[in-house]
Amino acid sequence: MIPKFYKHPVFYLSVLACMVGALAACNTAPKKPTPIEVAQPPKLPAPQAPKPTPPNPATKNVPTPAVTPSVSAPAPIVEPKQFYGSFGEWKSDFINRAIARGYRANDVYALMNNASLNQQVISLDGKQAEFAKMPWEYAESATSGNRVSTGRAKADEYPSLLSRLESRYGVPREIVVAIWGMESSYGAATGNTDLVNALSSLAYDGRRRSFAEGELIAMLDMINRGDVNRSQLKGSWAGGMGHTQFIPSTWLAQGVDGNNDGQKNPWVISDALSSTANYLSGSGWIAGLDAFYEVRLPSHFNHQLIGQKQPLSAWQQAGLLSINGTSLPNSNTPAELWLPAGILGPALLLTPNFDVIKVYNNSSNYALGVALLAKRIGKQSGIVSNWPRHERPLSSAQVRRLQENLNAKGYNAGTPDGMAGTNTRRAFAQWQSDNGKIPDGFITQNSANELIW
């Protein structure tokens, strides 16, 4: 049944009015614009840009004034290709990706336009020594007579700076000076390799592309922040800069203006040493604590505790004494028992400060070298116990065979790569323990003889 109001004349007039209005609206509605294609810039094999104006010889070593970084907001990271057919192809793609992240084109071209492939850097990165050094070789190299005497002279040359750093950061001056000596021979060997070329070569090679490209981006930020100018970017082939060999990304995070000139420059001594102290402090340095304590093991010692961590007070209760016969610090600070040359060599208790030194170079031998050099600079004795100098290292081929055999027997030595790192030593120590040997983890021709032939 149709409702009566449907038959009313007013109803029909209303419907007619609505239809007319709708038709009019259709004829006058704005049309949807046709999409416009945006042309993508062509990728050139070797991007060309106007070369920067040569610096004035009178001012070429003066850092550029601090400016606002060119990246104002985070931009999506454009992933690199998996493979590049040439260095020029990688360079062009990296420039495009850096610009896509928000960096000014002029800044990127100024950094990268003259970048070239350094094949020697790639060779050095892939080089592996035939035989690893023994720990006493590291220790003796670190504490050579010249390095010790120069370190003491440098400590005497900068007493106020080092005192200020020690007071502010809690890091002993001897440790800061020792790292300076280990990293650049107190500034005498900061490196002459063009850092842009070196990192670009590592990025193109691909083995460490993510690291190398990240450091190139960090260099852009350093220049834009006013730390350095392009002409100063010379250092080690691996990316280290200045007196204490910071890599660019770490410098951005840890760099300190040590002389209050408004700039943070790793080639300036006060900035470099201040930044080193800041880095160590921020990494957990504990004031008043040695990096290691040399100890004597009691005759009844439980060798299963080698490589274990427990409080210094607990080690003393286990019968360990300082090498000179005195008590260890009565502290709850954890310490790891390390026998760098096995049961026949020195025994060391490593504190958290030993691990802090390793933020510079994640090597126990490096940290030992720094700690020993610091002791000698401070006119303390080094290692007292004798080293087992009759022991001989494995070749890289023998280490690889050792790793393969340990893995085959169920001990996780990691990927066989010919380098006896932490995983390999730990697996070897477990094998020693399971086969009735003292699990000191010291790998030599004698100790590993059953596993390398």
Side-chain angles (χ1 to χ4, degrees):
M1 181 176 178
I2 300 175
K4 289 182 180 181
F5 65 81
Y6 282 169
K7 298 178 182 180
H8 198 281
V10 175
F11 170 76
Y12 289 108
L13 289 174
S14 300
V15 171
L16 181 60
C18 290
M19 292 174 65
V20 172
L23 288 171
C26 290
N27 289 333
T28 60
K31 295 182 179 180
K32 184 178 180 180
T34 303
I36 299 173
E37 289 191 12
V38 178
Q40 298 297 319
K43 291 185 179 180
L44 302 177
Q48 297 297 319
K51 293 185 179 180
T53 303
N56 185 326
T59 60
K60 65 179 181 179
N61 291 323
V62 179
T64 55
V67 296
T68 302
S70 60
V71 178
S72 58
I77 297 176
V78 182
E79 293 296 329
K81 297 179 182 178
Q82 290 187 346
F83 173 78
Y84 292 95
S86 68
F87 179 80
E89 182 186 356
W90 168 82
K91 183 167 115 173
S92 177
D93 186 54
F94 175 76
I95 288 173
N96 289 335
R97 286 185 283 118
I99 294 171
R101 287 184 64 175
Y103 288 87
R104 290 188 295 259
N106 285 348
D107 293 342
V108 180
Y109 278 110
L111 181 75
M112 296 297 301
N113 197 49
N114 293 322
S116 60
L117 179 64
N118 186 332
Q119 191 62 52
Q120 184 181 15
V121 167
I122 296 175
S123 299
L124 288 170
D125 187 50
K127 188 177 181 180
Q128 182 174 321
E130 183 180 359
F131 290 92
K133 284 185 177 181
M134 286 304 210
W136 53 87
E137 294 177 299
Y138 279 98
E140 289 168 355
S141 174
T143 58
S144 67
N146 181 63
R147 187 170 270 162
V148 171
S149 61
T150 305
R152 289 174 180 172
K154 292 296 181 182
D156 291 340
E157 186 177 353
Y158 299 98
S160 59
L161 170 63
L162 294 170
S163 294
R164 185 170 72 249
L165 298 182
E166 200 167 36
S167 175
R168 178 172 181 179
Y169 298 107
V171 180
R173 67 186 67 202
E174 294 85 2
I175 290 289
V176 174
V177 174
I179 287 178
W180 187 14
M182 291 286 283
E183 292 296 326
S184 73
S185 294
Y186 310 103
T190 59
N192 294 314
T193 301
D194 185 289
L195 290 169
V196 176
N197 290 347
L199 290 167
S200 295
S201 299
L202 292 174
Y204 164 63
D205 179 55
R207 191 176 77 87
R208 294 198 292 161
R209 177 169 296 146
S210 178
F211 160 79
E213 289 191 350
E215 297 310 309
L216 287 168
I217 291 295
M219 279 185 183
L220 276 171
D221 290 331
M222 283 181 60
I223 293 172
N224 288 336
R225 192 170 73 174
D227 293 3
V228 297
N229 58 44
R230 173 64 178 85
S231 66
Q232 290 178 295
L233 295 176
K234 294 186 183 299
S236 77
W237 66 264
M241 310 178 302
H243 286 271
T244 48
Q245 293 291 286
F246 276 89
I247 58 174
S249 59
T250 307
W251 182 260
L252 279 175
Q254 304 294 337
V256 171
D257 178 8
N259 59 1
N260 298 315
D261 67 350
Q263 295 171 325
K264 302 173 183 178
N265 189 322
W267 285 273
V268 172
I269 291 174
S270 57
D271 290 4
L273 300 189
S274 299
S275 301
T276 294
N278 177 56
Y279 189 24
L280 296 177
S281 175
S283 298
W285 187 271
I286 301 172
L289 185 70
D290 284 354
F292 73 84
Y293 295 93
E294 187 178 1
V295 295
R296 296 185 188 277
L297 303 182
S299 57
H300 60 278
F301 183 69
N302 176 9
H303 294 111
Q304 296 299 322
L305 293 176
I306 297 172
Q308 301 300 310
K309 277 187 180 182
Q310 55 183 10
L312 285 167
S313 56
W315 286 117
Q316 182 163 299
Q317 291 174 5
L320 276 68
L321 294 174
S322 173
I323 193 66
N324 58 14
T326 61
S327 299
L328 294 169
N330 186 21
S331 167
N332 288 325
T333 301
E336 176 187 346
L337 179 61
W338 181 42
L339 276 55
I343 195 64
L344 299 179
L348 310 177
L349 287 178
L350 310 181
T351 74
N353 285 346
F354 190 89
D355 291 331
V356 171
I357 296 173
K358 289 167 71 175
V359 300
Y360 251 92
N361 183 330
N362 191 23
S363 160
S364 294
N365 283 329
Y366 172 84
L368 178 61
V370 168
L372 285 173
L373 178 56
K375 283 180 177 291
R376 294 295 308 281
I377 290 172
K379 300 182 180 180
Q380 300 179 44
S381 61
I383 296 291
V384 175
S385 302
N386 293 324
W387 296 99
R389 296 177 184 276
H390 63 280
E391 296 286 4
R392 293 292 177 264
L394 271 59
S395 69
S396 57
Q398 288 175 321
V399 172
R400 190 175 296 108
R401 196 173 303 121
L402 169 68
Q403 292 167 328
E404 292 169 349
N405 287 334
L406 285 171
N407 287 337
K409 293 177 180 293
Y411 302 97
N412 183 16
T415 302
D417 57 5
M419 294 182 287
T422 301
N423 289 338
T424 302
R425 291 193 297 270
R426 186 180 294 121
F428 181 67
Q430 187 60 56
W431 174 83
Q432 288 177 308
S433 179
D434 291 347
N435 286 272
K437 306 175 188 298
I438 296 175
D440 58 17
F442 186 44
I443 299 171
T444 68
Q445 294 286 343
N446 289 326
S447 65
N449 182 62
E450 297 176 39
L451 296 170
I452 59 177
W453 303 108

